[in-house]
Amino acid sequence: QVQLVESGGALVQAGGSLRLSCAASGSIFSVMAWYRQAPDQQRELVADITSGGDTDYADSVKGRFTISRNNAKNTVYLQMNSLKPEDTAVYYCNAKDIFRIGYWGQGTQVTVSS
């Protein structure tokens, strides 16, 4: 069974930092990613990373967020710095296996207060 378990979401003040973790199990994952969904907004891609370490970021988070992964642990991280109130959202981990089938975590709430 593929399972993605997210952690690290919290209430933080603007300008603060958080690190989200997503521990995946049950498969080998070629691409891992973080998405977020703010209230009344569509889910959007925040960042993704391949097994080789290639990364992509949404323009809104470039320079502030860093995605990384520990392949041995099947864990992906999202280091979030200089957080803004507009970063408030439920953050979801997504992982694609070698067949490009995607799996979702349950989400972790990030709230940035002003």
Side-chain angles (χ1 to χ4, degrees), residues 26-27 42 50 102 104:
S27 189
Q42 294 187 187
T50 69
W104 291 98

Side-chain angles (χ1 to χ4, degrees), residues 1 3 9 20 35 42-44 50 54 57 60-62 87-88 90-92 97 99 103 107 109-110 114:
Q1 294 279 350
Q3 186 173 356
L20 306 182
Y35 290 73
Q42 294 187 187
R43 190 170 299 185
E44 64 175 346
T50 69
D54 294 325
Y57 296 91
S60 59
V61 307
K62 285 181 179 178
D87 295 318
T88 295
V90 177
Y91 284 71
Y92 296 91
D97 64 18
F99 305 107
Y103 302 90
Q109 177 70 49
V110 172
S114 59

